[in-house]
Amino acid sequence: RELGRAIDAFLDTCSRETRIIFLRRYWFGDSVHDIARQMGLTTGAVTTRLSRTRSQLRNYLIQEGYENE
């Protein structure tokens, strides 16, 4: 639960579009292709956005004390 709240707090710092892309991929399980088509982006743009968001999330969680958990 605590980790879920930390992830929610992180997503609150992201842009609306980034939050939608992240949730569609990792919560709803949509494919990168489907996300790109529905958002009017290239698959490369979606892949890059997801990679950057995961990296930022990783750094955020480490700062919040979730390192090595």
Side-chain angles (χ1 to χ4, degrees):
R1 264 191 243 191
E2 200 173 307
L3 178 59
R5 283 191 287 268
I7 293 170
D8 283 342
F10 166 76
L11 289 173
D12 284 343
T13 70
C14 296
S15 71
R16 181 178 185 275
E17 187 174 71
T18 296
R19 193 168 39 253
I20 290 169
I21 291 169
F22 187 88
L23 289 173
R24 290 185 61 123
R25 181 69 180 126
Y26 298 115
W27 182 260
F28 296 106
D30 292 350
S31 72
V32 169
H33 176 77
D34 287 344
I35 295 167
R37 184 176 45 79
Q38 292 171 356
M39 304 271 315
L41 301 168
T42 65
T43 56
V46 171
T47 301
T48 299
R49 184 82 58 96
L50 288 168
S51 177
R52 288 179 182 161
T53 305
R54 284 192 313 270
S55 179
Q56 292 168 349
L57 174 58
R58 185 178 309 111
N59 291 334
Y60 178 85
L61 291 175
I62 289 169
Q63 288 177 339
E64 294 297 312
Y66 289 95
E67 189 171 20
N68 298 324
E69 287 188 27

